[in-house]
Structure formats: C-alpha cells, structure tokens
Amino acid sequence: MENWSLVSICVLFGLTARWAVSLNSYSGAGKPPMFGDYEAQRHWQEVTYNLPVHEWYFNTTDNNLNYWGLDYPPLTAYHSLLCAHVAKLINPDWVELHASRGHESYGHKLFMRATVLVADLLIYIPAVVLYSFYLSEGSNKKKVCTVLCILLYPGLILIDYGHFQYNSISLGLALWGVVVLGLGWDVLGSLAFVLSLNYKQMELYHSLPFFCYLLGKCFKQGLAGRGLFLLVKIAVTVLVTFALCWLPFLSDPGQILQVVHRLFPVGRGLFEDKVANTWCSLNVLIKIKTILSTDTQLYFSLTTTLLAILPSSIKLLMKPTLWQFKLALVNSSLAFFLFSFQVHEKSILLPAFMLPLFLKDGLLVPYVVTSLAFLFFSIYLLSAFEHCSEDKLRLGPYRRLLICMPRMDLGRVTKWKFYFSITAMAGLSFMSVALAPPDQLPDLFPLLVSVFSYLHFLGLLLYFNIVQIAEPLQSVRKNQKKSN
Amino acid sequence: SVMATPRADDWSWFPALALGVSFLKCILINAYHSTDFEVHRNWLAITHSLPVSKWYHENTSEWTLDYPPLFAWFEYSLSHVAQHFDKEMLVVQNLIYTSPATILFQRLSVIVTDIVFIYAVKECCRSVREEKGSKDLLGHPFFILAALLLWNFGLLIVDHIHFQYNGFLFGILLLSVARHLQGRHLEGALLFTVLLNLKHIYLYIAPAYGIFLLRSYCFTKDNTDGSVRWSSFSPVRLVALGSIVISVGALSFGPFIAMGQLPQVLSRLFPFKRGLCHAYWAPNVWALYNMVDKALSVLGVRLKLLDVAKLPKASMTGGLVQEFQHSILPSVSPSITLICTLCPTLQPKPHPPPSLALSPPAKFHIWCRPRGARGFLRCLVVCALGSFMFGWHVHEKAILMAILPFSILAVESREDAGIFLMLTTTGHYSLFPLLFTAAELPIKVLLMLLFTLYSFTSLKKLFRGSLLNPLETTYLLGLVAVEILCEVVYPLSPWQHTLPFVPLLVTSVYCSLGVSYSFIRLYVSLLRQHGTDKHKQL
C-alpha cells in the first residue's frame, strides 16, 4: 500500500483516539467555585474578547487575576481571542463578561474540544508526519510506524483532550522548528521556535538547545564571513518576531513588566504539590522550602539548572549536528524540569507520573487504555526489544565507567530494568486507585509516584548526557544506525 | 521485523490487529449508548432475579425478552459476573439504571465476548485461498480479510457505541462458515443451530444451510456432471444432523415446552404487530416503495386528485413503531414479504428437472450444481441480502448479516470485491442515523473514513486496478454530499422543525439505491455461475 494511504490511516486512527478520549470528563468539571483548566481557558476567551488589550494582564475591576488570570505569553491570548470570536458566533452566552463564569454545557464542551482538535490537526499532526518522513531513519514502513506511535503518545492526548490544554500548539510549533532546522532552513526554524516560545513560556526548556545549535552552526561557518551573516539574519528574525508578538504591549514598559511578572511567578516558591523534581524529592529529607528564603531558593534553582544544562549545551556548540541537537533537547528539558523553579507536574507530559492528576479528573479508563496501547504498539511496531543490545543502546561509555564492575550484558540489564519499572508503575497505579493511604501519611501514594518518577528522570538525564557527550567530535561513520 | 515477508506460519500480526481494535473499543466505553443498553440490563435483571418460569412473562419494563432461550441463558451467566460490579443493576425495578460500574461491566462484556469473533476471523483467514508469490504482509488476502472483519465499521458502531452483542453472534456465524469451508460440516451445523437458538433473525439464512447440508453432506457423491446421485444418500448423516438440531433445540426450548409456555415464547419472538418498517427505514425495497407511495400521495394532493383528510395520518418515520397503511400503493402484509423474500431467488429454469417443480430459491442452484462450500457461502450472502431487501420490519443493522460473510468472497474474486465495496460503503453509511448525537459525529465520520479508505486501497492493490466504474464512484461520492446535507445544512435550515424526518428519508432512500444495485449485481453473478455450469455440461 502506498505511503499516503498508510499515513492517512494512522492519522485517522490517532484523531479517533483523541476524540474518544475527549468524550470523557475535563479538569474541574462540576467543581465550583474555581473549577479547573477548562474553565481557565474559557475565562481567557471571555477576558480577551471583552476587555481592551492593556487590561488583559492587569488586576482591574473587570479582570480579577486571582480567578484564572492570564499567565501565558501573548500568543495564547490571541488564540483565545480567535476562539472567542467563533464562540460568539455560535452562542454569545459562552463569553459573556462575568455572566459566563463557570459555564458548563454539552454544546460548550463540544466547542472547546473541537478547538483543541482543530489546533492539533493544523499544527501538531502535520509536524509529526513531516518529522517522521524527513528526519527519522529506516524503511517507509518504519516511518509509518513512527508516525503511529508518536500520534498515540498518551501524555499529550490525555492532557490536551482529557484534562484540557493546548500543548499541541506550542509543542507542534517547536516540532516545526526542529523539522525546518533539520531541512536546513535556519531562519524559518528560529521563527517557528520563537512563535512556540511566545505561546507557552514552558518552551524555554527547549530554548538553550536551539540557541546553541544555531550559534554553533554560525561558528562552524566562520564568524568572519557566512557565519556572521547567518547570525545577523537569525538575530533579526528573532527580534522582529518577538516585537510583532508583543506589539500591543510595547508602548508601555509597565505593560511588559507586568506580563513578565505573570509569566514567571517568582513569588510562589520552589514548588507546589507533588512534582517529580529534585526540590520536591529533597523536601522529603530536608524541608528546604522552609529553611531557605524565597530569593535564595530562586538563585539556588537557577544555578543548579544552568549547571545541569551546561555540559550538554557546550557539546552542542562544539558539534552542531542534528543528532546532537535532538539529544540536547531531551537533556535540556529534563534538566529544566528537574531543577527549575515552580515546575508543574504537567510540564513533563509523561502519563504514568501524572496519574494522581488523572484520577482527580476522572480519566482513569482513558489513562489505562492509552498507556497500554502506546506501550504495546511501540514495543511491537518499533521492535524496541530487538534493539536492546549494548551497541544499539550506546552503552559503550557506561562500560568504561563501570570498569571495576564484573562483566555483564548491559543490554539485558536494561531490558530487565524496563520490565521492573513497568511492573512497579502498574503496581503503584493499582495501589493509588484501589487502596486508601494510612492516616498519618495521607499523601503517601502521590509522593511514592513522584519519588519513583524522579529517580527515573534523574537516571534518564544522566544516560542521555553521557550519550551526548561521549560522541566523538568528528563523526567518522556516516551511516550510523540511530535509535531515536 | 514485523513488516518483512512473513513465513507461512507467522501469525504474530493477528494478535496485534485484534489487540489494537480492542483498545479502540475500550476507549469508546464512555461514548453514547442507545436504549439497547437498557434492554440488556433489563434482561440481566430478569434472568438473574426471576425464576425461569417468569422470564417470558415479565413485562415491568417495555423491553421484554424477545430473543430465544439460549440467549436468555447467556444473559443469565453474564449476570453472575455482573453482581460483582454493581448489584443494583440486577434489580428488575431499577429501570434505566446507568451507574458507572454498570456501564463498565456491560461494555466490557461486549468487548470480552468479541473473543469469539476474533477466533472466528482467525479460522476464516486460515481458509482463504493463498496466492503464491512473495508479497509483503499488507498485501496478503488473509491480512486484508482480517482487517476488514476485525475493524469492520458497522460492527464497531453497532456493538461498541450503540450497544449490542453482534460480535459474539457473528463470531458464531463466521465460525460455522469457516467450519464448512474446512469440510467439518457437523461442527458447522452445530454452531448454526446454536446461533439460531441465540437470535432467531438468522432463520432468514437457515434455508441456505438446510439445502446445502442436505445436498452436499447427506448425498456423499455426485454424478460426473455434478448433478445429484440419489443412490449415494446416507441416512446416517441425516440422522446425525437431525439429532444435532433436535438436541440443541431441546436444550434451548425444552424447559419452556415442559412448562407449556411455548406459545408465549413464540409470541415474544415473532411480534408481527410491528409495522412494515422500523422507525428509521432500513434502506431496502420497502423504503423505495414507501417513498414512491408518499411521493404519489403528495402529488395527488397537489393535483387535487386526493382528499387530504382521507389520507392516513400516521407518520412512518415518526420514531415509534406503528402499523400503518400505505396511501396509494397497495399495503404490504407480512405474508407478502415472506413470498418476496423467497421469490428473488427464483430463477427461470431452462431445463427444470421434473422432480423439483417447487422449491425455487437460489438454493435450487446449490441443489442442482453445488459448487462446494464457496457456492454455499455465496448463496448465504444472497439469502441474507435478499431477506434484508424484502423482509418485514427489518433493522438497518441487519445489513451486517450480508456484509460480514461477503468479506470472505471479496478478497478472493475481483468482481466480488467491486460489489463488496459498493455494498459496504452504502450499507455502513446507512448506519449513520443510529448515532445521532453531536459528540459522536466526529467518531463515526473518522471511523467511516478509516474503514472506507482502507477497504478501497487494500482491495485495489490486491486486484491491481480500479474496481468501480465512474458511475458507481460518483454515486459513492454523492454520499458525502448527502452527509453534509443531512447533518450540517439541514439542521440549520428553517424546515428542521416542521419536517424533521427529511434527513432520515433522504439517507434511507439514497442508500437503498446502492444496496438494491449491489443485490442485483450479486444475484446476476450467481446466475452467471449457474449459466457457466450449464454451459460446461452441454
């Protein structure tokens, strides 16, 4: 069968899975007075439609920032405005100032879910298809399998179509950036990424790799000639795009400061809730939140984040290839997640870890089904276990590190570790659902989940860093088989 | 890797296909379900809470037990698992009880009993004629058949959203067909008898089974020209078949005959008080008949030939099942439909053998020139489709009885594939009105596109070339226009409130054109095969 029909079938299947998940409940359904992320998005449509631009990020009589105030960059606000215009055409009650607060109805849910689907279809899904076909390797069948597995990724489906968010827009734009950079169009790639950054500030997690990759490319082309020209082009593109996105706010420095203040709430402390990063896990042993002052916490986390990301960034600067770029993206986002300030559990978009969140939203069944399906398809279609040899996993550097330990087949060790992790995750999921925690430790299960996940993320950070740094500066073999 | 040329015994792709579709079914657990959900919950309650003597008399709920006793026993065994999910669903008085545990249990029961269907598909795939030559996995007929059956759009929609147990029942039917294809006729007969006692709608295809078994199993040898050799009749085999039928029937109906409840059971099973057409007209001949009748009556009123007051007021698509009379054309009674069901399988007999003056069905064809199990399968499909076309109070879901067995023929012959594409696309589209909620609209559209795209591209690749002529393609593309008209344009128009049945009418009539056309083509292909046989004989 031709590629286009196979890819269409995969896309149709992915869309069906998405819409089927969206038939379930959303965050904060039927829970006044605050509701949840769904109500937040609806509220932003109300605010952006009814109020003038200079009031969007400010606390006014009409705009109470304590009730889901805007805390994403301007592109989210423009997107909400666009949705609000459509909503107004269908049913004005949905975006009536003040009167529409907490509005929940069958038609409105359909509308909101439809906006997510449209955004996904226009931005994220084409990026996935292009990525699989142009930037990944293997036969055509393998590429189609890659499309299917990426589209079935449960984290994104459950958060966007279940809990309710628009991650597919920011992730999609970032992926467009990666694809376009991979095709060699650096200026367009930086444009896509700047747009992505202006949609969700969480994309800062990916910003250093983009920066280092492009800068490294400029250095390689020689700062005296073409390199400098490229640098100037990219810099101008970035600045102009930023200016265009922030245009309505540029007139008044106070506006810019307020927006930045909303985007980066430094007053809120090192973390909230149970997050699988270093601070939360450390807090189990030492109560850092109470020992250090907020300012110290801020500087401490900033320094550790930068330190964590330094090795990967320097390596990418020195060797700006696509493979290094991909590795750096993983390393950077992991490092930011683990060490930075005020991280939310959703930022990691890894489903097993977000289990407590899904239980609260009533999304247990979709969570179980999509996770199992994704695991099954990835293992079956992408033959993950067959590639579990030492060579394929690039465990060479580990071997050198563990030179003192007895000789063992690290490939098999990895496979067994994987089985163990999956079993442990299944066990934790089951316990969270079926058992009640003991009275002295009411947060036992979320805490266990988060510490368990943290250890995995830390391990992954180390692994990917080692893989990235151990790669020789001069690529000797042109046709490396890459396990993406 | 899984996608390389498979060895003949490498069936690892089959569990993947089956598991994939099962995941999809699981994710549809919280979708819309119809009143059929309450029907089955009620039956769980009746069989669990009441003694056997009351099963067919109970009518607290309007959804009384109207399937044969074996299905009641099936519900009874399910109810023993149900009590661990939510005991309240088994209380007869809890009408329209839909707790989350109830929904989870009922949906899971459909998904789990589908294992019968999955096994049956595997057996059918093993019986498909394999072509030599190394193709990649996706091009093999048995892979395509597995995908077309396991991922069948109609079955997914009717079973896992609308809610029914068709997967389980069609699994038994397909397994019986597979056994006949493999030559294990006694097992096939047993399975079919069990099926008849689970849902009596399969009586429509019982004659096909009966004649085939009588002819090809009880007469052990044929003459050289293929006609019946009377001397080879084997009484042993006839007795074996008879004992199977009688023992299963006894198991199923026995208790009720012993209690003297047989008339009551039969009246529940065959409620002829219901109208000619279901609330939504199945796209068969009667839909066209009704349409012509309505058109003539409207025309008559306009031209002042008829008095509006004298016309019957009952609306045929009003949403309730009622009896009604046709205005202009003669009214149709159940006996007429029975004759019509048997008639289309009549064929002009060039040289009628004197001993078989009556018994006209296409079954006549298998009697005179049996072509083995495949001929039987073709006859089964024609019977199923014929009964859909002309039957009394046919549900649109009954089209699946023709589509599913036909899939086996479709992957083996080019002409069949063409008819299959036409029948499937039209038949599946006619199921759209079953899911009328706005939230399920994207799902039914996406799944329909998925199945249609796959069936077209895979069959086209298998038979190397286009399978439909331009007229047929245009008709099928017209379905898109009908869909947009009925679900997007019409609801926004001012006539939505005054004439709400128009989209249903348009869908039904448009689809009946396609289904009728497929039936005619299928029948012609059957005749042509008979003609070739006669020719060979001469």
Side-chain angles (χ1 to χ4, degrees):
Chain A
M1 277 175 73
E2 304 99 357
N3 274 341
W4 70 265
S5 52
L6 282 174
V7 168
S8 311
I9 288 175
C10 292
V11 169
L12 284 170
F13 185 54
L15 286 173
T16 313
R18 281 159 162 71
W19 191 262
V21 170
S22 76
L23 293 175
N24 291 284
S25 177
Y26 48 80
S27 127
K31 292 194 187 129
M34 283 301 279
F35 302 94
D37 273 344
Y38 176 89
E39 166 64 14
Q41 297 283 350
R42 188 215 58 74
H43 180 69
W44 294 346
Q45 290 173 14
E46 172 196 338
V47 162
T48 51
Y49 186 80
N50 291 301
L51 300 179
V53 179
H54 58 264
E55 279 185 39
W56 287 354
Y57 287 90
F58 281 89
N59 218 346
T60 64
T61 40
D62 281 333
N63 185 13
N64 178 10
L65 288 184
N66 281 330
Y67 185 79
W68 302 114
L70 256 177
D71 51 7
Y72 282 134
L75 267 187
T76 299
Y78 303 148
H79 178 236
S80 297
L81 183 61
L82 181 64
C83 293
H85 277 288
V86 178
K88 192 83 178 179
L89 282 174
I90 305 176
N91 184 348
D93 288 338
W94 293 343
V95 286
E96 206 55 55
L97 189 60
H98 301 314
S100 61
R101 199 173 269 210
H103 182 97
E104 286 181 294
S105 69
Y106 184 78
H108 187 235
K109 182 180 173 192
L110 274 183
F111 166 70
M112 296 291 273
R113 296 293 196 199
T115 55
V116 183
L117 190 74
V118 165
D120 209 353
L121 196 52
L122 289 177
I123 301 182
Y124 181 69
I125 293 181
V128 170
V129 174
L130 287 176
Y131 172 82
S132 303
F133 273 90
Y134 289 111
L135 292 191
S136 70
E137 287 165 14
S139 66
N140 274 339
K141 291 264 160 58
K142 175 93 186 287
K143 294 183 180 181
V144 172
C145 294
T146 314
V147 171
L148 183 65
C149 289
I150 298 183
L151 282 183
L152 285 182
Y153 183 62
L156 198 56
I157 300 182
L158 289 168
I159 283 290
D160 271 17
Y161 290 87
H163 184 82
F164 202 91
Q165 276 203 339
Y166 290 100
N167 289 308
S168 53
I169 300 186
S170 58
L171 277 178
L173 284 170
L175 192 57
W176 273 107
V178 173
V179 169
V180 167
L181 281 185
L183 293 174
W185 302 328
D186 300 323
V187 175
L188 281 177
S190 47
L191 171 71
F193 183 69
V194 169
L195 286 176
S196 164
L197 191 57
N198 276 304
Y199 191 87
K200 271 205 175 155
Q201 70 272 34
M202 216 171 78
E203 287 297 320
L204 273 177
Y205 288 15
H206 298 140
S207 53
L208 265 176
F210 272 86
F211 177 72
C212 294
Y213 175 74
L214 289 169
L215 194 61
K217 257 187 118 173
C218 293
F219 284 161
K220 261 229 150 49
Q221 290 184 2
L223 266 187
R226 279 182 22 233
L228 185 63
F229 184 49
L230 182 63
L231 187 61
V232 166
K233 267 201 298 191
I234 295 175
V236 165
T237 317
V238 168
L239 287 172
V240 167
T241 321
F242 259 105
L244 282 175
C245 290
W246 291 62
L247 198 59
F249 306 98
L250 287 181
S251 49
D252 178 14
Q255 286 275 333
I256 303 181
L257 272 176
Q258 172 67 358
V259 177
V260 172
H261 185 74
R262 289 296 302 167
L263 294 182
F264 302 102
V266 292
R268 278 158 74 174
L270 208 48
F271 62 85
E272 276 173 22
D273 276 343
K274 303 283 165 291
V275 189
N277 73 356
T278 323
W279 311 126
C280 186
S281 307
L282 205 55
N283 205 43
V284 176
L285 302 169
I286 328 167
K287 299 273 173 251
I288 15 168
K289 247 184 131 163
T290 39
I291 296 178
L292 303 170
S293 74
T294 318
D295 277 346
T296 331
Q297 287 170 15
L298 184 60
Y299 293 131
F300 194 43
S301 76
L302 199 63
T303 343
T304 38
T305 315
L306 285 176
L307 278 177
I309 201 176
L310 207 57
S312 156
S313 308
I314 295 181
K315 182 62 192 261
L316 180 59
L317 256 179
M318 298 197 304
K319 186 183 181 189
T321 62
L322 203 61
W323 174 234
Q324 285 281 324
F325 179 48
K326 290 184 204 171
L327 284 171
L329 282 171
V330 175
N331 282 323
S332 165
S333 39
L334 270 175
F336 266 91
F337 178 77
L338 289 176
F339 294 104
S340 95
F341 201 77
Q342 258 297 311
V343 173
H344 279 274
E345 57 204 342
K346 292 189 287 287
S347 311
I348 194 72
L349 276 188
L350 270 155
F353 165 56
M354 294 188 287
L355 175 64
L357 181 71
F358 295 140
L359 285 178
K360 220 169 35 149
D361 288 343
L363 289 171
L364 179 64
V365 171
Y367 159 72
V368 169
V369 176
T370 47
S371 308
L372 286 175
F374 176 71
L375 268 175
F376 173 71
F377 278 115
S378 323
I379 295 177
Y380 180 71
L381 288 177
L382 298 180
S383 316
F385 284 156
E386 283 166 28
H387 292 157
C388 221
S389 69
E390 247 191 60
D391 180 50
K392 293 269 173 69
L393 286 175
R394 297 165 192 277
L395 290 170
Y398 272 103
R399 172 135 315 286
R400 289 197 281 275
L401 278 179
L402 301 170
I403 205 116
C404 42
M405 296 196 64
R407 182 161 186 77
M408 53 182 157
D409 181 5
L410 282 180
R412 279 187 57 202
V413 169
T414 315
K415 227 198 234 183
W416 282 105
K417 190 203 95 40
F418 176 74
Y419 290 144
F420 170 72
S421 300
I422 294 287
T423 325
M425 281 196 259
L428 273 175
S429 305
F430 176 73
M431 283 199 298
S432 301
V433 177
L435 306 176
D439 285 328
Q440 321 93 292
L441 307 162
D443 282 329
L444 180 65
F445 293 131
L447 199 64
L448 276 178
V449 167
S450 93
V451 171
F452 178 80
S453 314
Y454 170 65
L455 292 171
H456 275 74
F457 298 153
L458 201 60
L460 282 171
L461 181 69
L462 284 170
Y463 167 71
F464 279 113
N465 263 303
I466 292 180
V467 169
Q468 182 179 358
I469 294 175
E471 212 191 344
L473 274 177
Q474 306 298 330
S475 57
V476 179
R477 288 158 292 167
K478 283 275 179 184
N479 52 344
Q480 288 173 343
K481 275 283 283 291
K482 298 170 188 163
S483 52
N484 299 326
Chain B
S1 145
V2 69
M3 293 300 180
T5 314
R7 302 187 306 275
D9 52 351
D10 182 6
W11 283 80
S12 65
W13 53 270
F14 189 83
L17 266 186
L19 207 56
V21 77
S22 304
F23 281 131
L24 181 64
K25 293 170 189 172
C26 285
I27 223 172
L28 291 172
I29 283 180
N30 281 321
Y32 154 82
H33 53 78
S34 68
T35 48
D36 274 340
F37 183 87
E38 166 62 15
V39 169
H40 287 279
R41 186 214 60 78
N42 187 39
W43 293 355
L44 279 175
I46 291 180
T47 52
H48 188 88
S49 319
L50 299 175
V52 180
S53 54
K54 292 238 175 50
W55 284 2
Y56 283 92
H57 285 281
E58 170 60 37
N59 59 0
T60 312
S61 158
E62 56 177 318
W63 310 113
T64 56
L65 192 56
D66 56 4
Y67 277 16
L70 264 189
F71 197 86
W73 289 110
F74 168 69
E75 293 274 11
Y76 177 68
S77 45
L78 278 182
S79 70
H80 284 289
V81 184
Q83 60 188 357
H84 299 293
F85 278 75
D86 186 346
K87 283 203 164 48
E88 293 298 310
M89 79 169 103
L90 298 172
V91 175
V92 179
Q93 279 71 27
N94 280 349
L95 297 181
I96 318 196
Y97 182 75
T98 50
S99 71
T102 312
I103 295 182
L104 186 67
F105 168 71
Q106 294 238 63
R107 292 284 200 201
L108 281 180
S109 69
V110 183
I111 296 174
V112 167
T113 51
D114 265 1
I115 212 158
V116 177
F117 186 72
I118 294 174
Y119 176 67
V121 171
K122 175 115 187 263
E123 290 297 306
C124 287
C125 289
R126 273 180 38 197
S127 316
V128 166
R129 286 197 206 106
E130 207 180 305
E131 288 175 30
K132 296 299 166 212
S134 64
K135 282 188 216 162
D136 72 324
L137 174 68
L138 297 186
H140 272 283
F142 50 71
F143 180 86
I144 299 178
L145 179 64
L148 287 178
L149 284 174
L150 287 173
W151 288 74
N152 185 286
F153 168 80
L155 213 52
L156 276 173
I157 292 290
V158 171
D159 265 18
H160 300 279
I161 302 187
H162 182 85
F163 196 87
Q164 271 202 336
Y165 285 92
N166 288 312
F168 170 64
L169 296 168
F170 278 115
I172 300 181
L173 177 67
L174 285 178
L175 193 57
S176 153
V177 166
R179 290 290 176 251
H180 284 303
L181 288 174
Q182 291 162 357
R184 289 148 74 166
H185 297 293
L186 278 179
E187 286 178 44
L190 173 67
L191 285 164
F192 185 70
T193 325
V194 167
L195 182 66
L196 269 186
N197 282 293
L198 279 170
K199 192 168 177 180
H200 51 294
I201 200 175
Y202 295 96
L203 271 176
Y204 280 130
I205 49 178
Y209 267 86
I211 304 286
F212 168 69
L213 284 171
L214 206 58
R215 173 68 178 85
S216 295
Y217 185 64
C218 293
F219 290 93
T220 45
K221 291 207 224 337
D222 292 339
N223 288 328
T224 36
D225 62 353
S227 65
V228 61
R229 184 189 286 190
W230 296 97
S231 55
S232 71
F233 181 74
S234 156
V236 173
R237 290 189 169 189
L238 184 64
V239 167
L241 280 178
S243 54
I244 287 178
V245 174
I246 292 177
S247 53
V248 175
L251 202 67
S252 157
F253 282 88
F256 297 94
I257 299 178
M259 289 188 286
Q261 288 189 358
L262 192 62
Q264 169 70 1
V265 175
L266 288 178
S267 76
R268 284 284 180 87
L269 257 52
F270 301 102
F272 276 108
K273 275 281 163 241
R274 295 195 192 156
L276 172 66
C277 286
H278 191 48
Y280 158 61
W281 302 346
N284 61 8
V285 150
W286 305 126
L288 291 170
Y289 193 80
N290 289 344
M291 180 68 185
V292 170
D293 181 65
K294 249 223 163 15
L296 285 178
S297 71
V298 165
L299 206 62
V301 167
R302 281 279 167 81
L303 297 176
K304 304 272 192 289
L305 294 171
L306 294 169
D307 186 1
V308 158
K310 293 221 189 71
L311 289 176
K313 290 273 187 270
S315 149
M316 296 180 212
T317 55
L320 299 167
V321 282
Q322 309 167 6
E323 290 211 58
F324 49 74
Q325 306 289 329
H326 286 96
S327 322
I328 314 270
L329 302 174
S331 288
V332 181
S333 73
S335 24
I336 297 183
T337 59
L338 197 62
I339 299 174
C340 287
T341 318
L342 295 174
C343 268
T345 46
L346 263 170
Q347 38 172 323
K349 303 184 280 283
H351 307 285
S355 53
L356 286 168
L358 289 175
S359 66
K363 306 118 190 183
F364 171 73
H365 167 244
I366 6 173
W367 182 271
C368 277
R369 296 283 179 272
R371 296 180 108 247
R374 275 189 168 63
F376 153 68
L377 184 56
R378 185 172 299 272
C379 177
L380 191 149
V381 176
V382 171
C383 282
L385 198 51
S387 65
F388 179 82
M389 293 293 299
F390 296 99
W392 180 267
H393 199 79
V394 170
H395 281 246
E396 58 283 352
K397 306 180 211 116
I399 193 79
L400 291 176
M401 203 175 9
I403 290 180
L404 289 173
F406 194 26
S407 316
I408 305 177
L409 293 174
V411 298
E412 288 181 340
S413 130
R414 194 199 172 84
E415 192 193 348
D416 285 336
I419 308 175
F420 175 78
L421 286 178
M422 189 69 176
L423 180 65
T424 317
T425 317
T426 333
H428 283 165
Y429 179 72
S430 72
L431 294 172
F432 265 37
L434 276 179
L435 300 184
F436 50 84
T437 47
E440 275 67 30
L441 173 64
I443 298 212
K444 72 184 181 193
V445 168
L446 287 170
L447 282 177
M448 178 81 183
L449 283 174
L450 187 68
F451 184 80
T452 315
L453 181 64
Y454 179 75
S455 55
F456 272 81
T457 45
S458 61
L459 287 176
K460 225 168 127 167
K461 183 91 186 292
L462 183 65
F463 293 111
R464 276 176 274 268
S466 178
L467 296 166
L468 297 175
N469 62 43
L471 187 64
E472 291 165 338
T473 318
T474 322
Y475 170 81
L476 289 178
L477 285 174
L479 284 174
V480 178
V482 170
E483 167 69 2
I484 296 178
L485 186 75
C486 292
E487 301 233 38
V488 180
V489 173
Y490 195 79
L492 298 172
S493 75
W495 301 297
Q496 169 68 7
H497 297 290
T498 45
L499 303 168
F501 60 84
V502 164
L504 293 177
L505 195 127
V506 168
T507 312
S508 166
V509 170
Y510 194 83
C511 289
S512 37
L513 293 171
V515 174
S516 314
Y517 173 74
S518 309
F519 176 67
I520 294 172
R521 273 193 66 185
L522 196 57
Y523 199 65
V524 164
S525 82
L526 190 70
L527 287 181
R528 219 183 282 141
Q529 280 186 353
H530 186 196
T532 358
D533 290 333
K534 281 265 177 219
H535 202 71
K536 273 197 209 135
Q537 183 205 353
L538 297 171

